[in-house]
Amino acid sequence: MDLFSPATFGQLELRNRVVMAPLTRLRSGDDGVPGDVVVEHYRQRASFGLITTEGTWPSQESKAYDGQPGIVTDEQVAGWKRVADAVHAEGGTIVMQVMHGGRVSHTDITRTDRIVAPSAVAIDGQVHTAAGKVDFPVPHALTTDEVRQVTADIVAASKRAVLEAGLDGVEIHSANGYLLHEFLSPVSNVRTDEYGGSPENRARLAIETATAVAEAIGAGRVGIRLSPMHNIQDVVETDVADVTAVYRALVEGLAPLGLAYLSILQADLRGELVQDLRTRFGGAFIANSGFGQITTRDEAIAEVADGQADAVAVGRFAIANPDLVERWQGDHEVNEPNPDTFYAAGAEGYTDYPTLQHADR
């Protein structure tokens, strides 16, 4: 396979195998409505084989960050429709990452009376709010019925994203220490009902949610993101045997669904754990080397050429290079990302990175 060749993942048509990773950008204001600058940000990057949007909240209490977009209100749906239309006009494919923040939040952010999680176990750390840094609160442990409402909220959000806003699909966020990932880990999940305890029980919510979303919008429009052996915000997963058991249970539950793809964030993409999960999943696999590393052109080309992945997700270089595919394909120099602007407001570090000039091509 070649990084720059087209691919079909379920019902998703990719013009190449360079995927724009989901990137928290926080430019959707207090109302969570994507505006002009967000529309332009994604339009500029339509040449990526697949755009994965920033994590988008499916319910008010699932909001994790100020400025994060939602997919709940009619105004939010209309904003995302403008994004989808702009990307499609440039020939691109875009999916929405639907993300429940779980305990990674604060009531000053959600504007609700509680933060929720699998168990009443707080993150040992501080969260950024409009008023400054404050300690993460002890979350409300979801009841069994409330757990099922999480699935219903994600399903409703996925339907809004695809059937109303017109995006091509959704990516279910089950990584990076957010709610679905919190259920997977014994650090954050000490439940004793059917959603806690054994690896199979801890994997249950992610499987049930993926199943319900696939039934609602079609499995070929659904991907899922995982990050085994990664940070649950305050604790790094180090129990290899437990991680292997829970993620095998999860992937074996997902495999029969026929999802569009599995995306894994992990430093050792060629390692036994990741490749075992890929084999058990049996479908398209997107590799992402994760935080602390920037995927280079040569690394991305090799991952696909060597058959280690069907596509490669790129984060920070996607921020700094709207035309990254063209730059990589022609072996041009790339812009370096400016981390100081990642979470700022406005266009700086968002839509103002230069593209290749015609004379340089």
Side-chain angles (χ1 to χ4, degrees), residues 64-66 105-109 111 125-137:
Y65 304 104
D66 285 323
S105 194
H106 192 278
T107 53
D108 288 350
I109 295 170
R111 308 294 195 269
Q126 293 190 309
V127 57
H128 290 273
T129 72
K133 284 187 176 182
V134 296
D135 291 342
F136 279 103

Side-chain angles (χ1 to χ4, degrees), residues 105-181:
S105 194
H106 192 278
T107 53
D108 288 350
I109 295 170
T110 62
R111 308 294 195 269
T112 60
D113 60 2
R114 66 181 191 178
I115 299 301
V116 302
S119 304
V121 180
I123 294 173
D124 182 12
Q126 293 190 309
V127 57
H128 290 273
T129 72
K133 284 187 176 182
V134 296
D135 291 342
F136 279 103
V138 175
H140 162 74
L142 292 162
T143 68
T144 304
D145 286 343
E146 288 170 342
V147 171
R148 297 183 179 121
Q149 184 59 46
V150 167
T151 295
D153 290 342
I154 293 174
V155 169
S158 301
K159 290 169 70 174
R160 291 188 191 100
V162 173
L163 304 180
E164 298 179 36
L167 282 84
D168 299 295
V170 301
E171 177 178 287
I172 299 169
H173 200 350
S174 189
N176 296 50
Y178 299 114
L179 185 70
L180 297 187
H181 191 184

Side-chain angles (χ1 to χ4, degrees), residues 243-277:
V243 169
T244 299
V246 74
Y247 280 90
R248 279 183 176 176
L250 172 55
V251 169
E252 288 172 358
L254 297 173
L257 302 179
L259 301 183
Y261 66 83
L262 168 67
S263 177
I264 293 185
L265 172 68
Q266 228 274 345
D268 186 11
L269 292 169
R270 297 187 177 216
E272 182 179 351
L273 173 61
V274 172
Q275 291 301 318
D276 175 67
L277 296 177

Side-chain angles (χ1 to χ4, degrees), residues 4-24:
F4 306 108
S5 65
T8 300
F9 293 175
Q11 291 180 260
L12 304 175
E13 298 294 333
L14 285 63
R15 62 169 76 178
N16 55 69
R17 297 167 188 264
V18 185
V19 175
M20 178 176 167
L23 301 160
T24 302

Side-chain angles (χ1 to χ4, degrees), residues 202-224:
R202 283 181 276 139
R204 189 184 306 277
L205 177 58
I207 295 169
E208 288 182 350
T209 300
T211 300
V213 173
E215 290 174 351
I217 64 171
R221 297 190 182 278
V222 182
I224 190 166

Side-chain angles (χ1 to χ4, degrees), residues 53-140:
T53 76
E54 60 212 280
T56 303
W57 41 274
S59 64
Q60 189 66 40
E61 70 181 12
S62 68
K63 182 179 179 182
Y65 304 104
D66 285 323
Q68 182 187 7
I71 186 65
V72 175
T73 69
D74 291 344
E75 292 77 15
Q76 290 163 357
V77 169
W80 280 116
K81 187 175 189 309
R82 292 181 60 215
V83 170
D85 288 348
V87 170
H88 292 156
E90 300 289 336
T93 301
I94 182 168
V95 298
M96 175 181 290
Q97 186 184 70
V98 181
M99 168 189 148
H100 193 305
R103 65 180 188 156
V104 188
S105 194
H106 192 278
T107 53
D108 288 350
I109 295 170
T110 62
R111 308 294 195 269
T112 60
D113 60 2
R114 66 181 191 178
I115 299 301
V116 302
S119 304
V121 180
I123 294 173
D124 182 12
Q126 293 190 309
V127 57
H128 290 273
T129 72
K133 284 187 176 182
V134 296
D135 291 342
F136 279 103
V138 175
H140 162 74

